[in-house]
Amino acid sequence: EVVAEAQRALPPLALCLHPDTHTVTAGGESFSLKPAEFAFYWLLAERCRQHGPGIHWSETDIEKELLDYYRRLVGEYSAQYEKAEETLKQGVTKEYFEPRKTKVNDAIKKALGERRAKPYLVVKLEKIPHTKYHRYGLALASDVVRVEG
């Protein structure tokens, strides 16, 4: 009975990204992310929304997709974008991917607390066939993810 009451008190699952302000609203709480982390999370949210697969740093062309989201945040002719282009010109590396995932998950946990953050975290998803690796993404239902603007 106590558990059921506590579950009723939780807001329904809802994730909304606001690219114009680099703000994420998850479970009724809003928080900002730096552009690199926001672009990373936006990519994962769009994949989730469109029933697409998660991502793994070793997959080809992930950097193009990531740079497209980043460009939309900071502008194609900004110094930030040029630096990101240079960083990702050889593709996404584990050294780039892991800190983005960690920073996003830490920001979500800080805003919502450990328990409420769980549905919104970047998590291990499906195994990549014929490898020992998994893709990462959001384990949310596609209909609870929105992007404003």
Side-chain angles (χ1 to χ4, degrees):
E1 201 173 289
V2 172
V3 171
E5 188 62 36
Q7 287 176 332
R8 281 194 292 277
L10 292 174
L13 290 180
L15 175 67
C16 185
L17 278 70
H18 310 272
D20 53 334
T21 60
H22 310 168
T23 304
V24 175
T25 303
E29 301 291 334
S30 294
F31 57 95
S32 294
L33 292 172
K34 290 182 179 174
E37 283 75 40
F38 190 92
F40 178 79
Y41 200 59
W42 189 5
L43 165 60
L44 297 176
E46 283 295 347
R47 289 260 180 128
C48 178
R49 246 169 41 102
Q50 296 169 13
H51 306 282
I55 64 172
H56 188 267
W57 62 266
S58 66
E59 294 177 294
T60 54
D61 294 334
I62 294 295
E63 73 280 357
K64 291 176 185 165
E65 208 173 335
L66 189 55
L67 280 169
D68 181 53
Y69 287 105
Y70 195 70
R71 178 186 50 75
R72 291 156 68 183
L73 294 173
V74 300
E76 186 171 4
Y77 302 108
S78 70
Q80 286 176 294
Y81 183 76
E82 287 180 17
K83 185 178 177 191
E85 254 186 333
E86 181 65 27
T87 300
L88 297 173
K89 74 179 177 185
Q90 302 299 322
V92 174
T93 63
K94 184 176 184 177
E95 292 73 24
Y96 182 87
F97 186 90
E98 289 297 328
R100 298 285 122 13
K101 180 173 62 111
T102 300
K103 287 177 182 179
V104 166
N105 283 346
D106 287 350
I108 296 167
K109 289 174 190 174
K110 184 178 177 187
L112 287 105
E114 287 284 332
R115 194 172 110 264
R116 288 182 51 221
K118 281 186 181 175
Y120 305 101
L121 297 176
V122 178
V123 295
K124 189 185 288 189
L125 297 175
E126 71 274 3
K127 189 172 186 302
I128 301 170
H130 313 295
T131 73
K132 63 180 181 178
Y133 301 116
H134 287 79
R135 290 187 178 96
Y136 288 83
L138 306 182
L140 290 166
S142 62
D143 62 340
V144 301
V145 181
R146 285 189 2 250
V147 177
E148 295 281 318

